[in-house]
Amino acid sequence: MSDSAGFNIDDVMYTTAVQEGGETVETILGKIKKLEQDQRFLEGEMEEMSSCHDTLQIELDTLRIEAIKLEGIKEEKEECYRKLKFQDDESEQEYVRLLEQNKKSMEELEEYRSDIQLLKLTQRKQRMKFEKQLCELMEMHKSLEAVFLPKSLPDEIGRAEDTRRQLLSTLQMKLDQLNTLDEELPEKKEAARGYTCRD
């Protein structure tokens, strides 16, 4: 068997001469064995380190792949966040628009309601005026009935009746308009509530 220095141990065993002040054969052989043991130990350490290096390299490659995947996921999440942010901004703008529209509708409804109340008051006054004019006209015809000759009395009564029918027709038309406005008012209220509920 050869050692790391390149000489044969068997040759050493046959050497009997010992240099003055030198080491014995047994001592040299012991050192050689110690060196061989150290070499085997170092070789084992090197193999273990090589194996550990390979394992760490595999783990590093795995971590790099995982990092690439996580980077892709991160980019997807950021893109998703941007889309959601854009949609949220649009929803906020739509919400503000609907609030403004609802506010405007409520203002228009309130104005419409005031107009209806004013129209009701005007119609009531007109009706009372028509009724008063009709009563005055009837009283006038009653007082003039004795003055007119019997021959002309039917014509006068006919004209008075026509006038009365015209007044009643006008009054009925105004009342129909008022009723129509009263029927439309609940629909306007319901539409305004609809805008409020959607918000």
Side-chain angles (χ1 to χ4, degrees):
M1 181 176 62
S2 298
D3 62 5
S4 59
F7 58 84
N8 195 295
I9 296 178
D10 294 335
D11 294 336
V12 176
M13 293 178 63
Y14 290 102
T15 304
T16 56
V18 178
Q19 298 178 353
E20 185 178 354
E23 296 177 324
T24 63
V25 174
E26 289 79 4
T27 301
I28 295 173
L29 291 174
K31 287 184 177 181
I32 291 172
K33 290 181 179 180
K34 180 66 170 57
L35 288 173
E36 289 177 345
Q37 291 175 357
D38 291 343
Q39 183 179 4
R40 287 192 295 271
F41 176 77
L42 290 174
E43 288 175 352
E45 288 290 322
M46 289 293 292
E47 290 179 359
E48 184 177 350
M49 289 180 63
S50 177
S51 177
C52 182
H53 175 271
D54 293 340
T55 301
L56 291 176
Q57 185 64 43
I58 293 174
E59 292 180 356
L60 179 61
D61 293 339
T62 302
L63 289 175
R64 285 175 178 170
I65 294 173
E66 187 67 22
I68 293 173
K69 291 181 180 179
L70 290 176
E71 184 66 24
I73 294 174
K74 176 187 174 184
E75 292 177 356
E76 291 178 358
K77 296 293 185 182
E78 289 177 348
E79 180 64 22
C80 182
Y81 170 77
R82 286 191 293 269
K83 289 181 180 180
L84 291 175
K85 183 66 168 58
F86 178 75
Q87 293 176 355
D88 182 67
D89 293 341
E90 284 191 334
S91 298
E92 182 68 21
Q93 293 174 2
E94 181 67 13
Y95 176 74
V96 173
R97 187 187 69 80
L98 289 176
L99 282 180
E100 291 295 330
Q101 183 177 355
N102 182 65
K103 180 181 178 182
K104 183 179 179 181
S105 298
M106 293 298 293
E107 291 175 352
E108 291 177 352
L109 179 61
E110 188 63 30
E111 183 179 355
Y112 188 64
R113 186 181 300 165
S114 299
D115 292 340
I116 290 177
Q117 294 299 325
L118 180 61
L119 182 59
K120 283 184 177 181
L121 180 61
T122 303
Q123 294 292 335
R124 189 176 297 113
K125 289 181 179 179
Q126 289 179 352
R127 183 178 62 187
M128 293 174 64
K129 181 179 179 180
F130 290 152
E131 290 176 351
K132 181 179 180 182
Q133 289 177 350
L134 181 61
C135 290
E136 290 176 353
L137 185 60
M138 295 299 293
E139 290 295 326
M140 183 184 300
H141 282 115
K142 288 180 181 178
S143 63
L144 292 176
E145 184 177 2
V147 178
F148 290 110
L149 297 174
K151 184 178 180 181
S152 61
L153 184 59
D155 295 335
E156 187 65 26
I157 293 175
R159 286 193 295 271
E161 186 66 25
D162 291 339
T163 303
R164 185 180 69 85
R165 282 197 296 270
Q166 290 177 358
L167 290 173
L168 289 177
S169 177
T170 302
L171 177 61
Q172 185 62 44
M173 182 178 66
K174 297 295 183 179
L175 289 175
D176 291 340
Q177 292 177 353
L178 183 61
N179 291 332
T180 301
L181 291 175
D182 286 338
E183 292 174 358
E184 291 178 353
L185 181 59
E187 295 178 358
K188 293 290 184 178
K189 291 181 179 179
E190 189 65 26
R193 291 195 190 98
Y195 281 122
T196 304
C197 291
R198 284 197 297 272
D199 292 341

